[in-house]
Amino acid sequence: MKEQIDLLVELQEKDKALCALRWQVREGPERLREFEKEFEDLEQDARSDKERIQDLKKDQRQYEAKIEDGLADIRKSRGRLMSIKHNKEYQALSKEIEEAEKANTDCDDKILICMEKLEELNKEVAARKQGLSAMRERLEKERTAATKELARVHEKLSNIEKSRDNLIKTLDPRLLAKYEQIKGGSEGIAVALVSNATCSECHLSIPAQMYNELQKQDKLRFCPHCQRIIYWKASEAAA
Ligand SMILES: [Zn+2]
């Protein structure tokens, strides 16, 4: 019986390792995907910045064109001013010129604002560009590492699966069935070491009588609290 329990303990170690490796297979790409998403978001931000720059340049060109038109009108009006004889008409045209000049000044202010924004944006774009290229490099490294790691995990998985298959061939099928049944209902852990008369899984005490009997290692015993298969290690006696 002791030998069979040792096999169960070994089986559990393998199952724990398999569970951890399968988790790695699931989570590994997940982490990479998160990183890729972060990178794509940054790229999207960079594209939006470029669009904003294009828009600002377009606005700036429009204001410049308005100023050009305004100046042409002002020149024309000033020409006409020379030939006007009536005072009222003169005043009206002077007012028109004044307004056109004021409109041009407004456009000038707007151009300045555009230029300030552009300067700020260009700085941001330059900084983002650096960040992006560093991140692109890191992403490539992460991808390569993830691929290697995944291959390594798959290899480990298949090795452990093979040795698990071999192991269960040497196990009493009824014992294996019991193990699987408990494992399914006990968060994946079917076998618990009892150390200092305490179950290592549920951390509750085993009655003294049962603890003594457990050390005989002659039959299958279960934790009275969590119902897992319990076992004892000879090294316990020495300690
Ligand atoms: Zn227990």
Side-chain angles (χ1 to χ4, degrees), residues 192 199 201-203 223 225-228 230:
C199 169
E201 289 302 324
C202 69
H203 307 292
C223 171
H225 312 292
C226 69
Q227 321 306 329
R228 290 183 172 95
I230 46 176

Side-chain angles (χ1 to χ4, degrees), residues 118-136:
L118 272 171
E119 200 189 327
E120 218 172 279
L121 259 176
N122 278 324
K123 272 186 206 156
E124 267 175 43
V125 166
R128 212 192 287 284
K129 210 174 170 185
Q130 265 191 334
L132 260 178
S133 98
M135 206 164 169
R136 188 176 291 120

Side-chain angles (χ1 to χ4, degrees), residues 2 23 37 65 75 80 93 95 161 196:
K2 184 188 176 305
W23 185 84
K37 173 83 179 59
R75 269 196 301 275
R80 272 173 57 210
L93 193 56
K95 199 168 187 308
E161 274 164 356
N196 286 327

Side-chain angles (χ1 to χ4, degrees), residues 1 19 21 43 52 57 94 135 151 198-199 215:
M1 196 62 208
C19 182
L21 289 168
E43 273 190 323
R52 275 180 66 205
K57 282 184 175 166
S94 293
M135 206 164 169
T198 305
C199 169
Q215 293 172 26

